[in-house]
C-alpha cells in the first residue's frame, strides 16, 4: 500500500490522511468492541499523532473501562461513526477505528494480535500463528 492514504466516516464529514503504516493493528474481542463494531471484534490501528491529519468536526465520548481507566473516543457527530480512541496518558498515540479505502485486503491493516480472546464467540477461530491474549 502506498502512503499517504485516506479514510472517512460513513457520511464523509470526518476524514483523515495517514502518512505511514500503523505501528500495530489489533483485533479486540471484548464485549464493548463487539457492541461498537456489531461483529465478533473491532479492529484498531495504532498510529502516532504526528503521522495523521484529521479534517472535520468530531464529538467526544468516554466510558469507564474494566481497568478503571477512562476510554476516550472521537466520533462523527452526524453519522455516529467512531473515528479513534485515545488515552490522555499517551497523547502521542491514536487508536484508529476507521478502515482506510482499499485496506480490506492490505497486510498493513491485518491484525497482528487479538486481545480479550476470552470474550470472543466460540465459533470464531483466531488465525493460526497470530498472537492472542485472554485479556489486554
Amino acid at each position: 500500500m502506498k502512503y499517504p492514504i485516506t479514510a472517512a466516516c460513513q457520511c464523509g464529514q470526518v476524514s483523515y490522511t495517514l502518512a505511514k503504516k500503523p505501528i500495530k493493528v489489533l483485533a479486540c474481542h471484548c464485549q464493548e468492541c463487539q457492541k461498537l463494531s456489531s461483529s465478533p471484534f473491532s479492529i484498531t490501528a495504532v498510529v502516532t499523532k504526528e503521522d495523521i491529519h484529521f479534517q472535520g468536526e468530531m464529538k467526544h465520548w468516554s466510558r469507564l473501562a474494566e481497568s478503571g481507566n477512562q476510554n476516550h473516543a472521537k466520533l462523527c457527530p452526524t453519522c455516529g461513526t467512531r473515528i479513534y480512541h485515545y488515552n490522555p496518558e499517551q497523547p502521542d498515540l491514536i487508536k484508529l477505528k476507521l478502515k482506510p479505502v482499499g485496506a480490506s485486503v492490505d497486510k498493513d491493516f491485518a491484525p497482528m494480535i487479538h486481545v480479550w480472546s476470552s470474550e470472543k464467540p466460540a465459533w470464531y477461530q483466531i488465525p493460526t500463528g497470530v498472537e492472542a491474549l485472554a485479556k489486554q
Side-chain angles (χ1 to χ4, degrees), residues 1-6 18-22 100 106-109:
M1 178 173 267
K2 290 187 177 193
Y3 291 86
I5 58 174
T6 62
L18 180 62
K20 293 182 187 174
K21 78 179 201 172
D106 192 274
K107 64 181 169 113
D108 286 357
F109 290 86

Side-chain angles (χ1 to χ4, degrees), residues 45-65:
V46 180
V47 301
T48 63
K49 194 172 187 176
E50 69 185 25
D51 290 335
I52 193 160
H53 176 71
F54 293 99
Q55 295 176 327
E57 177 187 341
M58 289 184 267
K59 180 180 176 181
H60 179 264
W61 179 80
S62 66
R63 70 170 177 84
L64 190 61

Side-chain angles (χ1 to χ4, degrees), residues 20-40:
K20 293 182 187 174
K21 78 179 201 172
I23 298 165
K24 69 178 160 183
V25 179
L26 56 98
C28 181
H29 296 267
C30 78
Q31 291 181 8
E32 290 297 323
C33 280
Q34 289 175 24
K35 289 178 192 177
L36 163 68
S37 65
S38 299
S39 68

